Amino acid sequence: MKQNILNDVIKIKTKEKEFFKSIFFVLSGVIFLSIMSQLIIPLYFTPVPISLGSFGVMLIALLYGRKLGTATVLSYVVAGSFGAPIFAGFKAGSLFSPTGGYILGYIAAALILGFLFDKGIAKSYVKTFLSLLLVSVIIFILGALVLMLFVPIKNVFMAGVLPFIPGDMLKVVAATLLFPRLWKFIKKNKN
């Protein structure tokens, strides 16, 4: 049961037009995620800034679903890895960096959240909240694993997880409150 909101809103009949619509959505999503990633609060005690990048990934996965959401986040990561200055703080380059694990976590988050969204989780506040919490934890885990290569292991939790928990909880709550309402609106106005 595919639950892509954008496909419900924008209907295109031919395969060629469907392909171009997907390209448009991926490019739009990469631009959106690039902008969200620049909204940062640098922290003096860690090389990882607070950013709205993970919130952008959540929104993309919930709007686009698994296939298009993952393609969008992968495109963002590839573009940044090949030199586009779109990662937080207008950075680009190797994922072998203090923030590389978080960026890899974006891919896992888009894949998992998009899959769960395609299964209909966004119709329920509780399922949406738990799913968003799950992907936040996945981003933290992957981020902390790579961050261990750049900071002493004893400092990883303080430098790469703890300062980000309050902000991620706000992101999770905001997305949780948004999407079940959006589902109801689309269902009501679908015809």
Side-chain angles (χ1 to χ4, degrees):
M1 173 165 99
K2 193 171 181 179
Q3 302 293 334
N4 188 321
I5 287 178
L6 294 176
N7 281 335
D8 287 344
V9 174
I10 301 172
K11 300 199 183 294
I12 296 180
K13 301 292 183 200
T14 68
K15 290 206 182 271
E16 294 83 17
K17 289 181 181 178
E18 187 69 32
F19 174 76
F20 287 115
K21 180 183 84 169
S22 294
I23 295 293
F24 172 76
F25 285 148
V26 168
L27 290 175
S28 298
V30 168
I31 291 167
F32 172 72
L33 188 51
S34 300
I35 292 168
M36 296 297 282
S37 293
Q38 302 319 314
L39 302 173
I40 64 171
I41 300 171
L43 302 173
Y44 70 91
F45 56 89
T46 178
V48 182
I50 294 173
S51 116
L52 287 181
S54 59
F55 186 63
V57 169
M58 290 175 191
L59 295 178
I60 287 169
L62 288 172
L63 277 173
Y64 287 7
R66 181 181 52 88
K67 288 181 183 176
L68 195 57
T70 303
T72 300
V73 174
L74 272 172
S75 297
Y76 166 81
V77 171
V78 168
S81 297
F82 281 111
I86 57 178
F87 295 152
F90 295 104
K91 293 186 178 155
S94 171
L95 294 177
F96 185 72
S97 70
T99 59
Y102 300 93
I103 295 168
L104 290 174
Y106 289 177
I107 299 168
L111 184 64
I112 293 166
L113 189 56
F115 171 79
L116 294 171
F117 181 75
D118 287 347
K119 297 296 181 189
I121 59 103
K123 295 178 183 177
S124 158
Y125 289 106
V126 173
K127 290 178 184 177
T128 300
F129 179 81
L130 293 175
S131 299
L132 292 169
L133 207 54
L134 171 68
V135 298
S136 287
V137 169
I138 289 168
I139 292 170
F140 281 145
I141 290 170
L142 291 173
L145 287 173
V146 174
L147 187 61
M148 277 194 261
L149 302 171
F150 298 93
V151 300
I153 291 176
K154 65 180 181 168
N155 298 341
V156 169
F157 184 75
M158 290 301 291
V161 177
L162 186 63
F164 305 97
I165 291 173
D168 269 39
M169 288 307 297
L170 287 173
K171 296 171 195 175
V172 166
V173 169
T176 298
L177 294 175
L178 176 64
F179 278 90
R181 290 180 183 172
L182 185 58
W183 265 113
K184 289 177 186 175
F185 174 78
I186 287 175
K187 187 175 180 182
K188 179 179 166 185
N189 296 304
K190 195 171 181 179
N191 295 330

